Amino acid sequence: MYPCGYAVTRFGATILDAEGLRLSSEEKAFFRDTRPFGFILFARNIDSPDQVRALCAEMREAVGHNALITIDQEGGRVQRLRAPLWREWPAPLDHAEMAGAQAKTAMYLRYRLIAAELHDLGIDSNCAPLVDVAGPATHPFLRNRCYGTDPHTVAQLGRAVAHGLLDGGVLPVVKHIPGHGRAEADSHHDLPVVTAPHSVLSESDFAPFRALNNLPLGMTAHLVYSAIDPEPATLSRRMMQVIRDEIGFDGVIMTDDISMKALHGSLSDLSRAALAAGCDVILHCNGTLAERQAVAEAAGEMTDAAQVRAIRALTWRKTPDAIDISALSAQLDALTGGCAHG
């Protein structure tokens, strides 16, 4: 049932965060009891390289398995590792445009260097590539986080990002599946509604995700696609069928942060609804310990199918080959004008 070399201990159907730079005794006990599949780090969890390494080790020790540890290190506004200890990266769309015809090479190099920084700290996943297709009305919170305005370009650059991360020993999380680019509202605060016909969505918004449907991990979009279902995609059985069958994505599907204001209801009810719809894992961020406990209790353990996908995803982890950081940095600088620094 499971890939060779992996224990069959059932994971909790959650990816959770921590409050600070080290785990409290209460957090350690909670994580030991609920065994989340993974963790996500934020700026409040980042101080120094040694501190981050120690926190990652504590998280894995607490759950008793080599848990996935992910982060949002896109660049631009969305990066948790920052100067002076780490590089400052321009927004992805800006960086791709700087590279012009060499954008694929530049994006590979960019995320290979990001992967090197992450892997050095014990972080083995990144919430990228973001393959939402930017459009004229894309909300500013998202637009320059995108890679382009046409599905083919976005898919090509998304694949380059994924390869850069994987070559660096970091698992990519493709987002926001099945496509957030038409959102005119910020789902951190409001529920966007997309009214485009299903056929248009399939040809454009869904296309990059279809092209990257073999990646190990994906994150949902908190959007309503009214031509398909009035429920937000994260909570919609119909949208999960679109993701699995029409897009063909068979990796682990995690929710976007279940506490975002786009969704309405208790965290427990939302967690149960997302799992019932077909999500594999509940991502919960920026909550109290009591809120994390409520999510973990509602989520319970992974289903058999989710567990198989989760273990299969973990087999994608590898020890990266050694690279010459200076040489790769110089190559990227030559393509983009040397705008990343740190």
Side-chain angles (χ1 to χ4, degrees):
M1 180 177 180
Y2 300 114
C4 294
Y6 279 81
V8 297
T9 301
R10 190 59 62 95
F11 302 132
T14 51
I15 295 175
L16 302 174
D17 60 347
E19 291 184 4
L21 300 176
R22 300 294 292 268
L23 296 185
S24 67
S25 58
E26 293 82 5
E27 286 176 320
K28 289 180 180 179
F30 166 53
F31 294 146
R32 182 192 64 233
D33 292 342
T34 57
R35 302 186 311 280
F37 170 61
F39 298 94
I40 186 167
L41 303 184
F42 290 92
R44 66 178 180 276
N45 307 125
I46 308 295
D47 180 52
S48 70
D50 284 344
Q51 170 270 318
V52 177
R53 293 184 194 108
L55 177 60
C56 291
E58 280 187 335
M59 288 172 161
R60 291 181 170 122
E61 181 180 4
V63 297
H65 65 88
N66 189 15
L68 182 88
I69 298 179
T70 195
I71 194 168
D72 286 297
Q73 191 70 2
E74 298 176 11
R77 289 177 292 106
V78 183
Q79 53 185 321
R80 312 307 182 198
L81 305 179
R82 290 193 173 272
L85 295 176
W86 296 281
R87 292 171 186 258
E88 290 286 334
W89 296 96
L93 184 59
D94 298 340
H95 216 184
E97 290 176 345
M98 291 171 194
Q102 299 298 314
K104 281 195 298 182
T105 300
M107 293 296 271
Y108 173 85
L109 293 170
R110 169 189 170 105
Y111 284 91
R112 181 63 184 86
L113 290 166
I114 287 174
E117 291 189 328
L118 298 179
H119 193 270
D120 175 65
L121 300 173
I123 301 168
D124 59 3
S125 174
N126 191 9
C127 294
L130 185 152
V131 295
D132 304 318
V133 180
T138 301
H139 192 280
F141 101 93
L142 185 71
R143 183 175 173 80
N144 69 356
R145 298 166 59 193
C146 299
Y147 304 157
T149 58
D150 72 273
H152 179 69
T153 297
V154 170
Q156 284 192 319
L157 298 188
R159 181 64 69 182
V161 168
H163 282 166
L165 292 171
L166 287 165
D167 286 352
V170 171
L171 298 187
V173 180
V174 62
K175 63 185 186 185
H176 303 87
I177 191 166
H180 210 301
R182 292 180 189 269
E184 298 181 23
D186 181 350
S187 56
H188 291 86
H189 306 291
D190 300 291
L191 177 62
V193 177
V194 171
T195 60
H198 189 164
S199 59
V200 172
L201 293 169
S202 185
E203 292 175 5
S204 57
D205 303 59
F206 300 170
F209 295 96
R210 191 180 301 113
L212 302 180
N213 65 11
N214 68 326
L215 291 182
L217 300 152
M219 179 187 291
T220 65
H222 294 333
L223 270 71
V224 167
Y225 303 85
S226 61
I228 303 173
D229 194 323
E231 288 291 319
T234 300
L235 310 179
S236 165
R237 288 179 183 268
R238 175 67 183 120
M239 290 308 305
M240 288 302 118
Q241 290 174 344
V242 167
I243 292 169
R244 292 298 190 195
D245 299 335
E246 181 180 334
I247 292 173
F249 185 81
D250 193 34
V252 174
I253 295 179
M254 67 178 73
T255 69
D256 203 345
D257 179 9
I258 203 69
S259 67
M260 287 166 61
K261 302 305 181 185
L263 304 181
H264 299 287
S266 72
L267 292 173
S268 296
D269 288 346
L270 291 171
S271 297
R272 284 189 286 264
L275 293 172
C279 294
D280 296 314
V281 183
I282 305 301
L283 173 66
H284 179 255
C285 311
N286 304 312
T288 65
L289 180 58
E291 288 171 332
R292 283 178 277 164
Q293 289 169 333
V295 168
E297 181 178 358
E301 293 184 336
M302 282 187 168
T303 64
D304 288 346
Q307 179 89 0
V308 169
R309 284 190 282 264
I311 293 177
R312 187 173 64 216
L314 295 179
T315 66
W316 285 57
R317 295 189 291 198
K318 71 173 188 178
T319 301
D321 294 333
I323 58 171
D324 185 331
I325 298 291
S326 296
L328 265 62
S329 298
Q331 185 180 355
L332 178 60
D333 287 348
L335 295 176
T336 61
C339 54
H341 57 85

